[in-house]
Amino acid sequence: MTGLREPGVTELDVAARVVELVHEMAGPAAEAEVTVVRHDLALTRFANSFIHQNVAESQVTVRLRVHVDGRTAAGGGSLVGPDGLRALVGRTLAAARLCPPDPAWPGLTPPSAVRSNGLLDEATAYAEPAARADRVRAFVDAVGGLEAAGYCRTSYRSGAFANSAGQAAQGRTTEAAMDGIARTGGADGVARLCAGRLDEVDGTLLGVRAAAKARAAADPVELPPGRYEVVLEPAAVADLLQNLAWYGFNGKRHVEGQSFARPGTAQFDPAVTLLDDPTYGGAMPFDLEGTPRTALTLVEAGTTRAVAHDRRSAAGAGTSSTGHGAPGGATFGPIPRNLRMPGAPQAAADGGAAGPQGGAVSPQGGGGPVAGAVADADTAALVAPMARGLLVSDFWYTRVLDPKSLVITGLTRNGVWLVEDGVPVRAVRNFRFTEAYPRALGPGAVLGLGRRPVRQPDRFDGSWWEGPPLRLASWNFTGGASG
């Protein structure tokens, strides 16, 4: 499964050849790093409870960065034959001659061991459209006549890295994801799951959950804005994690003084631990600069421990790369893209009462007049102690108002419910909110943590956000969705 034209030629062979070409064309003193990745992505979309599109693409991408005579340039291409590789090297060297001097060049990754993550599933890598269609059919059947829409996707990556300092690495990985909604009238319910294997994605469980939430979200009432205690389900928690990663634990922003993160400071509630963990599924074991990728603890029991770095931001901070070099890093900075929040410790005698990951338990939830609002036992345990608050399924259209304090504005969607005395009593219309995410997770702000994290897919495969449901003391809702 190389996807390369010549039989037996691997991604590592191509990367090594590009390094050789740089030395042939620019001399032995030229520094070069090359990443070659084959990416197979297949997507089955459905709407109005029917599959309407199945698409698949397979491509090989070659990325080259050179540092010659104190100047740095990068280029890329998809032609891996001799002429294509030579053309890539030629135009990248030509670009370097036109670039300004780069005194902050951090140098190349030295030779270092890269361990395979062992996360390749052949059935997912070779999944046929029928395998994804089976999940869609199960989802549509499970919603019980409601309108259904969404997608099921599978992806496979096989990549290699080589540089002129002698570093070389290879890796392969797979990922599967499903995102579906059920709709009745104007009410939607959602269920999402990302996993390393397609056989971990159960369309029936996801459909049951989405349908229960949609039915429970019918006939919403409008509540006044203000601060409410909330239980955020994993889909909403994923938005917190993504924004914390992009704007808070970004090493470039931290070096530039644009991040809230202060390593060594207790900035979060002791219940909060955050890890960027590419070894946990879906990601390659090395980054764009060839640095080995390992689990990185960003927050430990409420105390900020680290931010993510590539080689350039690490040099500016006087530290080492954490393996977060990525395309666009010079502009956006190094970003943790596999962020997970472990759940609360589970008693051994509990027997896993939270139910299947990403699925649904019997939709009575916490009982009460809005059956199905609470779709799993993990969330039910957080809702039960609430005197008065809101259960929130999902956030979207979130935008940063203040990067330094990470004040975010956005909207709720896919279901909000008023909870009184531990019981969801009414569906509620969507809110607009304005909230500082670090403050919402600050010391004393986390009243409860679910036991079962649920991995949520990103728009792009290879990135994901995993957390349990959260019960938070306060969330600032500033108005209805209409204003």
Side-chain angles (χ1 to χ4, degrees):
M1 283 182 76
T2 65
L4 306 178
R5 291 181 179 178
E6 297 180 33
V9 175
T10 68
E11 289 87 1
L12 187 58
D13 294 332
V14 174
R17 178 57 183 150
V18 174
V19 173
E20 292 174 359
L21 286 170
V22 171
H23 285 164
E24 288 178 14
M25 299 171 69
E31 297 179 81
E33 60 184 23
V34 187
T35 303
V36 181
V37 176
R38 169 186 170 166
H39 182 205
D40 295 350
L41 178 64
L43 182 71
T44 300
R45 290 191 177 102
F46 60 104
N48 299 316
S49 301
F50 290 93
I51 292 174
H52 66 93
Q53 186 179 45
N54 180 78
V55 292
E57 64 178 14
S58 180
Q59 62 179 350
V60 177
T61 302
V62 183
R63 297 182 184 273
L64 166 66
R65 184 166 67 165
V66 299
H67 185 71
V68 183
D69 298 328
R71 302 169 190 270
T72 306
S78 59
L79 301 179
V80 297
D83 293 342
L85 296 180
R86 186 172 290 274
L88 168 62
V89 172
R91 64 177 177 264
T92 306
L93 291 173
R97 289 190 287 271
L98 299 175
C99 289
D102 182 10
W105 167 247
L108 299 174
T109 300
S112 48
V114 175
R115 297 179 180 177
S116 172
N117 54 21
L119 297 172
L120 177 73
D121 178 61
E122 295 285 347
T124 302
Y126 290 101
E128 295 289 339
R132 293 184 298 276
D134 287 344
R135 273 75 184 173
V136 174
R137 167 56 63 193
F139 186 98
V140 170
D141 288 347
V143 303
L146 301 189
E147 183 180 335
Y151 70 81
C152 180
R153 77 181 182 211
T154 52
S155 69
Y156 163 76
R157 291 176 191 266
S158 174
F161 174 90
N163 69 19
S164 54
Q167 171 66 335
Q170 299 181 82
R172 298 192 298 165
T173 190
T174 52
E175 183 184 282
M178 190 166 192
D179 183 340
I181 63 169
R183 172 170 294 175
T184 174
D188 294 343
V190 67
R192 305 185 183 110
L193 186 66
C194 180
R197 302 161 55 97
L198 182 58
D199 65 10
E200 296 177 47
V201 178
D202 189 323
T204 297
L205 284 175
L206 294 174
V208 168
R209 181 185 182 97
K213 302 290 282 186
R215 292 186 177 100
D219 301 320
V221 299
E222 187 153 353
L223 289 184
R227 286 199 168 271
Y228 289 82
E229 183 181 325
V230 293
V231 170
L232 304 181
E233 294 191 314
V237 173
D239 186 82
L240 272 70
L241 298 180
Q242 183 176 16
N243 279 290
L244 289 168
W246 273 75
Y247 299 99
F249 299 113
N250 179 322
K252 180 176 185 288
R253 288 183 171 273
H254 186 258
V255 169
E256 295 172 348
Q258 298 182 55
S259 164
F260 69 83
R262 300 193 303 276
T265 303
Q267 296 183 276
F268 295 88
D269 190 272
V272 174
T273 292
L274 298 174
L275 303 96
D276 184 63
D277 197 352
T279 68
Y280 205 65
M284 299 294 282
F286 57 89
D287 72 356
L288 190 67
E289 299 172 319
T291 302
R293 298 196 68 191
T294 58
L296 175 66
T297 299
L298 301 168
V299 177
E300 182 180 20
T303 298
T304 302
R305 295 297 184 195
V307 296
H309 284 294
D310 55 18
R311 291 185 63 79
R312 191 174 292 272
S313 71
T319 187
S320 300
S321 171
T322 58
H324 288 83
T331 301
F332 299 107
I335 300 166
R337 297 178 187 270
N338 305 111
L339 196 60
R340 66 184 182 99
M341 176 187 291
Q346 182 171 329
D350 227 341
Q357 194 178 71
V361 298
S362 184
Q364 78 275 5
V370 187
V374 178
D376 61 84
D378 216 14
T379 302
L382 298 179
V383 168
M386 292 180 71
R388 190 173 192 272
L390 296 174
L391 170 62
V392 180
S393 291
D394 199 4
F395 291 146
W396 75 304
Y397 206 64
T398 52
R399 297 294 183 267
V400 177
L401 298 180
D402 181 6
K404 178 71 174 180
S405 59
L406 201 53
V407 175
I408 304 282
T409 188
L411 300 170
T412 64
R413 66 170 174 174
N414 297 321
V416 183
W417 294 268
L418 175 65
V419 176
E420 293 181 339
D421 298 324
V423 176
V425 294
R426 290 300 301 269
V428 176
R429 291 187 183 276
N430 283 318
F431 279 107
R432 173 168 291 280
F433 66 86
T434 302
E435 184 59 82
Y437 281 13
R439 187 214 64 80
L441 298 173
V446 179
L447 304 181
L449 201 67
R451 293 189 302 261
R452 289 285 186 98
V454 180
R455 187 178 305 174
Q456 303 290 296
D458 191 79
R459 289 179 298 168
F460 304 103
D461 64 296
S463 298
W464 46 259
W465 318 97
E466 179 177 300
L470 294 177
R471 180 183 168 208
L472 303 179
S474 178
W475 196 266
N476 186 34
F477 295 99
T478 52
S482 60

